Amino acid sequence: MTTTTATSPVLEASGVTMRFGGLTAVRSVDLTVNSGEIVGLIGPNGAGKTTFFNCLTGLYVPTEGKVSYKGTVLPPKPHLVTSAGIARTFQNIRLFANMTVLENVLVGRHTRTKEGLWSALLRGPGFRKAEAASRERAMELLEFIGLAHKADHLSRNLPYGEQRKLEIARAMASEPGLLLLDEPTAGMNPQETRATEDLVFAIRDRGIAVLVIEHDMRFIFNLSDRVACLVQGEKLVEGTSEVVQGDERVIAAYLGTPFEGAPGAEELAEVEAAEAAEATGTPETAEAPEATETPEAAETPEAAESDAAAEGTTSKEGNAQ
Amino acid sequence: MATTENTAENTAEVTETARGLIALPQTAARALIAVGAVATIASTFMSWTYTADFPGDLTYYGSPAGLQILDLVAGAITLLFALTLFDVRGLRWLNPAGATAPVVLAAASAFAVSWFSAIAIAVDLKGLVALDPGAYVTAIGSLIALVGTLALPSPGDTFKDWVSKPDRIPAAQKLPGWAERLVITAATAVALIVFTYGIGVDPEASETFIGYLLLVIFGTWALQAAGLFDRFATFNARHKGFATSMAFLAAAVFPFVENNEHNANLGVNILVVATVALGLNIVVGLTGLLDLGYVAFLGVGAYAAALVSGSEFSRFSGVQFPFWAAMLTGMAASLVFGVLIGAPTLRLRGDYLAIVTLGFGEIFRITVNNLDGSSGPNITNGPNGISMIPDLDIFGFNLGNSHDIGSITLGRFANYFLLMLIITGIVVIVFNRAADSRIGRSWIAIREDETAATAMGINGFRVKLIAFALGASLAGLAGTVSAHVGYSVNPAPYQFAGSVPPNSAFLLAAVVLGGMGTVNGPILGATLLYLLPEKLGFLKEYQLFAFGIALVILMRFRPEGIIANRRRQLEFHESDDSIDIPEQGLPDSTVGVTKAGA
Ligand SMILES: Nc1ncnc2c1ncn2[C@@H]1O[C@H](COP(=O)(O)OP(=O)(O)OP(=O)(O)O)[C@@H](O)[C@H]1O
Ligand SMILES: [Mg+2]
């Protein structure tokens, strides 16, 4: 929760809108990330968080709005965005499955090395030096995330948690000024999640600003200097963890809006119990934990947090691809 | 993958199913194999049939010929593997695990060759009367050996266990460096002999070639099951430069050993298609772009070289470039053509790219057909092509003339073979160096996941265009030589599929059959695909059909190709025995070899 004094903006997104036909997945979102900051991005499933990331990194061309990095407007081309200094990871892990761990990180170095086909064919001293330097840098990153001993393994053979870490190392290899993490702890157990927390702090301490999407509320509120909440494509609130945690609209967005004017907990419980009864025949759905825990959740913010975390765990199953 | 489980299973198996399919004491089983093998060997010194009508003339006593030589080798391999079971000193290395599978496969090779020969004689010469005692001896001897192997300790319940490498093979004792090099040299020499024998088989003697194929398939399978190829691969990895130079040396020796113009011509053509397949491998194997019109680049190179060759049928008949300029012209023309085709099409993904390249390939052929002066400007001389292309002249060394080196005369095709070998060598170096570099890694990254690759800062279009252009110019380079070797160029062979080798389907099949992303794979694939129809005359009409069957069988049983890229192998076979891949680490032993196949 430390806030660093430096306040020069690294990322400025203004009025970013993304429409898919009739669906507006992201609606006029403004977001700023300052250097040395960790910013969290939360929101229920389908809120448009990943779509927003894709707009930032040029994978989607935003329908409206612009994204600038350290003052210069970014063209919507992924490779140009990366060479400008924004790197990312993917929600559904996208490693180069049949390359080794080391090679994956080396690919991440692509924008920071220059050797073309000719120097590869001629193998001059410059090429060798650059290649050795790349390897050294990549090994250093593997050391940093704790995967150096598996440098020669095929990335497809790594356990889930390590694959996520490797994605982070691969992204860091491009020496970014801003790192976008899309659900970095999805599929991790509590210990791994805690380790990832430390990892993100360590990344921040290296001078890299971080924008992180996460459903694990404890994780996000521990980590972030600021949190923005996206609901149905719109930014609902933005502020410190305390502010966002206490915001009724956020809780409502996660837990569903009660009937107009009458938020009675018993009523809600009744309705959802009925729903649960209806759904008994079917296997456990994402609503199930919500239904049982809602009444308590409405009472204390801590409960809301754990509840949301529970939702997070269910959601990632839906998202794994 | 789950090592602990496997160990448990194996120990259980050892105690339970130590006996074979046939209940016999172990000594008896081994003795049967040895006796059968000796009988097989002995039979090859007898007459198998009374008439010389059967290819190879198997009528002599005391001197094996044709199929008999192959059977002799098969019998000898069987005997050697049988002796490994007797713990004969000095033979342990042949079967380090003392496994059953290699012995079974060796005996199967002898059985296959013997019985194929006997049946072929009986069928060709209309009846069992055609068989001399030798044929009966070989049939019975090889059968005894095979039966003997069935009484060996069972390696497992399924058929697969009987014919595949055991899970664990004890590590070999460490050899000194020079000994490893000696092994590499010896293996290369053996490979050269095997190849030369195969290419030297009389095209009329299809029977002999089938016997040869049976022996090669079962023989290599036996060696593979004994774990010898893995061991050889580690040697190779350790002495990479040495192994590569040995391979090239062996290839360079080929025209001296096989001093026959027809076979040297075969050799040149094989090298041409192998080189082009290797170029295609950059596009398909490394970058993952399915190019169905690749042969057009070979055509562009060939036509460009033909136009500047000084042939009187060329539009520019007055122009005769020196060989190096002709080659650069061919390369440059293909490069330009590659960029022209690639620039608009490489923005497409997957199937669309395949369709568009298929179209462009055909457009090339049809255009060349029509640039004949009547339907268009006269540039290519239409369907007649450009003929009477003069031979290359390299610094006063005319490749069209025979040259004496010592007591050996190198004919025209032998000269071209050596030139083509240098080009193949260049292409191999280009492939290896490009693959192991920043640009090669970005190709593989694009093959693996294009979206992630672009998100890592790779300019997908640019990098794909480089791969496309490089592949094209390598094909163009090979094309320049092929134009001179064949005296003429015409549009017919540069089509998608056809019965004459350099067509796109053939090249793709060579890459896929041999092994995508490897150097040796496409070379081996092209060799096999070129040689088989050449030697098996009866296949000619069914060539495409046989291709199809071969591809289907291969994709079913060995989707990674004959020579597996270590990576590909893991990719395709992992799910066979384990479903939950990400949770399991790779045993360290396999990891060490990862690089070897790369
Ligand atoms: N390429 C696309 N075409 C059409 N609709 C899309 C596309 N990508 C995303 N969407 C839609 O945009 C909305 C936002 O999806 P997005 O993946 O951004 O949500 P998210 O906030 O990341 O959710 P989650 O927490 O489940 O990851 C969803 O309704 C989704 O179906
Ligand atoms: Mg998402």
Side-chain angles (χ1 to χ4, degrees):
Chain A
M1 301 241 188
T2 46
T3 325
T4 31
T5 44
T7 48
S8 65
V10 179
L11 175 82
E12 285 169 296
S14 55
V16 173
T17 300
M18 185 74 217
R19 279 192 209 99
F20 299 109
L23 173 83
T24 308
V26 177
R27 193 188 303 268
S28 188
V29 173
D30 301 320
L31 188 76
T32 307
V33 180
N34 296 318
S35 61
E37 239 185 346
I38 298 176
V39 177
L41 188 60
I42 59 170
N45 290 145
K49 305 179 296 294
T50 300
T51 307
F52 182 59
F53 262 29
N54 287 344
C55 291
L56 294 183
T57 52
L59 284 178
Y60 290 159
V61 182
T63 323
E64 281 160 36
K66 65 173 194 199
V67 180
S68 48
Y69 175 76
K70 292 190 176 165
T72 46
V73 177
L74 291 174
K77 286 265 189 325
H79 65 274
L80 296 179
V81 171
T82 309
S83 54
I86 300 182
R88 69 171 292 175
T89 66
F90 292 89
Q91 178 174 356
N92 47 329
I93 302 173
R94 302 190 83 148
L95 288 169
F96 306 119
N98 294 299
M99 297 178 91
T100 65
V101 168
L102 178 65
E103 284 168 334
N104 266 277
V105 183
L106 285 174
V107 171
R109 301 268 317 147
H110 191 86
T111 52
R112 301 297 165 233
T113 42
K114 291 278 159 295
E115 285 63 43
L117 182 62
W118 282 117
S119 63
L121 297 184
L122 300 175
R123 303 257 143 158
F127 174 85
R128 276 169 221 207
K129 216 195 261 167
E131 199 67 351
S134 262
R135 261 160 221 275
E136 195 182 321
R137 183 88 182 80
M139 281 312 291
E140 194 186 298
L141 278 171
L142 286 179
E143 210 91 53
F144 174 67
I145 57 156
L147 275 180
H149 62 290
K150 289 195 171 175
D152 284 335
H153 289 220
L154 287 191
S155 67
R156 64 178 304 128
N157 291 324
L158 296 184
Y160 214 61
E162 292 185 346
Q163 292 199 3
R164 288 220 175 270
K165 279 200 214 162
L166 177 56
E167 259 211 326
I168 294 177
R170 183 179 70 174
M172 285 177 70
S174 67
E175 295 169 11
L178 172 69
L179 185 60
L180 309 182
L181 304 175
D182 198 344
E183 302 198 16
T185 70
M188 286 188 175
N189 61 34
Q191 291 95 305
E192 286 176 316
T193 303
R194 218 160 306 134
T196 309
E197 215 171 285
D198 294 338
L199 184 64
V200 176
F201 280 128
I203 291 169
R204 196 264 317 270
D205 293 342
R206 288 186 158 213
I208 301 171
V210 180
L211 176 60
V212 52
I213 295 177
E214 195 43 79
H215 283 291
D216 183 332
M217 294 302 153
R218 192 163 290 141
F219 176 83
I220 208 92
F221 288 132
N222 269 346
L223 203 63
S224 312
D225 301 310
R226 250 173 335 117
V227 176
C229 179
L230 221 56
V231 175
Q232 291 188 351
E234 282 179 283
K235 191 170 81 177
L236 212 56
V237 263
E238 184 187 332
T240 60
S241 299
E242 291 78 10
V243 172
V244 174
Q245 239 165 323
D247 194 291
E248 275 173 24
R249 288 171 299 172
V250 174
I251 298 169
Y254 268 91
L255 309 177
T257 326
F259 296 110
E260 173 95 343
E266 323 89 43
E267 273 179 61
L268 208 73
E270 262 174 47
V271 171
E272 298 202 293
E275 272 175 12
E278 249 172 58
T280 35
T282 58
E284 203 188 1
T285 56
E287 286 99 73
E290 211 177 75
T292 48
E293 287 174 35
T294 313
E296 310 151 35
E299 286 158 31
T300 60
E302 279 94 331
E305 202 181 303
S306 69
D307 183 39
E311 193 184 320
T313 26
T314 49
S315 80
K316 82 195 159 228
E317 278 150 28
N319 287 322
Q321 282 163 32
Chain B
M1 284 278 141
T3 331
T4 42
E5 273 175 42
N6 266 349
T7 331
E9 266 172 37
N10 280 358
T11 37
E13 264 167 32
V14 169
T15 46
E16 258 174 50
T17 54
R19 46 182 43 223
L21 295 177
I22 302 169
L24 268 185
Q26 282 308 297
T27 14
R30 292 170 191 168
L32 267 187
I33 306 169
V35 167
V38 170
T40 309
I41 294 171
S43 77
T44 63
F45 290 90
M46 300 162 72
S47 162
W48 283 9
T49 178
Y50 64 91
T51 150
D53 289 349
F54 190 79
D57 194 356
L58 314 178
T59 59
Y60 294 100
Y61 277 86
S63 75
L67 281 164
Q68 293 173 324
I69 297 178
L70 298 167
D71 205 27
L72 175 64
V73 175
I77 294 175
T78 313
L79 185 60
L80 283 176
F81 272 111
L83 291 180
T84 62
L85 299 177
F86 285 107
D87 262 340
V88 174
R89 201 173 270 276
L91 280 182
R92 267 229 72 87
W93 61 272
L94 203 55
N95 187 1
T100 300
V103 190
V104 174
L105 288 164
S109 77
F111 179 79
V113 175
S114 301
W115 281 71
F116 167 75
S117 311
I119 292 170
I121 293 171
V123 171
D124 279 11
L125 304 178
K126 312 271 181 281
L128 291 176
V129 282
L131 297 179
D132 267 5
Y136 290 104
V137 175
T138 192
I140 293 166
S142 61
L143 182 63
I144 291 176
L146 192 62
V147 168
T149 60
L150 296 183
L152 290 176
S154 164
D157 301 329
T158 60
F159 174 73
K160 206 174 158 201
D161 295 317
W162 281 87
V163 294
S164 48
K165 198 170 59 181
D167 290 336
R168 256 163 299 113
I169 291 174
Q173 68 197 68
K174 182 97 177 59
L175 288 178
W178 61 265
E180 292 188 350
R181 282 162 191 250
L182 204 64
V183 171
I184 293 174
T185 313
T188 315
V190 170
L192 176 64
I193 292 169
V194 170
F195 177 75
T196 315
Y197 185 89
I199 211 172
V201 171
D202 180 2
E204 300 299 307
S206 292
E207 289 85 352
T208 313
F209 197 77
I210 294 177
Y212 167 79
L213 282 182
L214 289 172
L215 174 61
V216 169
I217 291 171
F218 281 106
T220 44
W221 196 351
L223 296 182
Q224 193 268 342
L228 293 183
F229 279 137
D230 289 351
R231 195 147 294 176
F232 186 66
T234 46
F235 287 178
N236 257 345
R238 231 174 282 156
H239 306 274
K240 211 166 181 191
F242 180 76
T244 316
S245 3
M246 280 318 288
F248 274 99
L249 192 67
V253 165
F254 168 75
F256 295 92
V257 183
E258 183 60 41
N259 203 355
N260 166 323
E261 277 295 273
H262 176 74
N263 293 338
N265 185 13
L266 270 183
V268 184
N269 289 334
I270 288 175
L271 278 184
V272 169
V273 287
T275 309
V276 181
L278 205 51
L280 179 60
N281 200 18
I282 293 178
V283 180
V284 175
L286 290 184
T287 323
L289 306 169
L290 184 51
D291 183 352
L292 297 181
Y294 188 71
V295 79
F297 300 126
L298 180 73
V300 170
Y303 264 96
L307 284 173
V308 299
S309 67
S311 154
E312 55 184 282
F313 292 94
S314 155
R315 186 71 211 286
F316 317 105
S317 53
V319 185
Q320 181 165 14
F321 280 14
F323 94 100
W324 56 267
M327 282 185 185
L328 288 183
T329 310
M331 273 182 88
S334 288
L335 179 80
V336 169
F337 195 68
V339 172
L340 282 182
I341 289 184
T345 54
L346 287 175
R347 299 183 193 275
L348 302 171
R349 286 194 187 190
D351 302 346
Y352 299 105
L353 178 71
I355 301 288
V356 172
T357 50
L358 175 64
F360 269 111
E362 288 299 293
I363 287 173
F364 165 77
R365 187 173 58 87
I366 294 165
T367 308
V368 166
N369 237 326
N370 286 316
L371 293 179
D372 58 355
S374 59
S375 354
N378 184 7
I379 296 176
T380 62
N381 210 14
N384 296 328
I386 300 167
S387 49
M388 289 179 63
I389 298 174
D391 280 302
L392 282 175
D393 191 284
I394 301 180
F395 305 126
F397 185 94
N398 190 318
L399 291 182
N401 301 336
S402 299
H403 295 271
D404 289 328
I405 294 181
S407 59
I408 297 168
T409 308
L410 286 185
R412 177 175 184 271
F413 289 112
N415 295 333
Y416 277 110
F417 181 90
L418 293 175
L419 173 66
M420 199 54 223
L421 187 62
I422 294 172
I423 289 174
T424 309
I426 292 172
V427 174
V428 168
I429 292 173
V430 166
F431 183 94
N432 275 333
R433 292 193 164 182
D436 179 27
S437 73
R438 169 176 176 267
I439 194 93
R441 284 191 296 269
S442 58
W443 289 338
I444 300 173
I446 284 191
R447 181 190 77 196
E448 294 289 308
D449 186 335
E450 188 162 350
T451 304
T454 52
M456 287 307 116
I458 294 170
N459 182 343
F461 174 68
R462 188 189 144 90
V463 166
K464 285 194 283 184
L465 192 60
I466 293 176
F468 212 71
L470 179 65
S473 43
L474 294 181
L477 179 62
T480 55
V481 179
S482 88
H484 286 273
V485 175
Y487 297 110
S488 68
V489 288
N490 68 74
Y494 307 110
Q495 52 188 345
F496 173 66
S499 49
V500 203
N503 54 64
S504 295
F506 175 92
L507 295 170
L508 264 179
V511 172
V512 175
L513 263 169
M516 285 201 277
T518 62
V519 171
N520 299 335
I523 296 181
L524 181 69
T527 310
L528 283 179
L529 289 183
Y530 197 93
L531 213 50
L532 292 189
E534 197 67 38
K535 295 294 178 189
L536 302 176
F538 62 89
L539 258 185
K540 275 255 153 72
E541 292 151 51
Y542 305 102
Q543 198 187 344
L544 281 173
F545 179 66
F547 257 34
I549 301 269
L551 274 177
V552 169
I553 292 175
L554 198 86
M555 287 302 110
R556 169 62 189 83
F557 293 104
R558 207 174 156 81
E560 68 275 17
I562 300 171
I563 295 182
N565 186 332
R566 193 73 208 169
R567 294 191 182 113
R568 291 244 134 204
Q569 199 170 14
L570 292 164
E571 180 182 345
F572 285 113
H573 284 295
E574 218 151 30
S575 49
D576 283 6
D577 38 26
S578 64
I579 305 139
D580 198 7
I581 301 149
E583 297 305 320
Q584 294 165 343
L586 198 67
D588 283 331
S589 56
T590 24
V591 174
V593 206
T594 316
K595 285 274 151 191

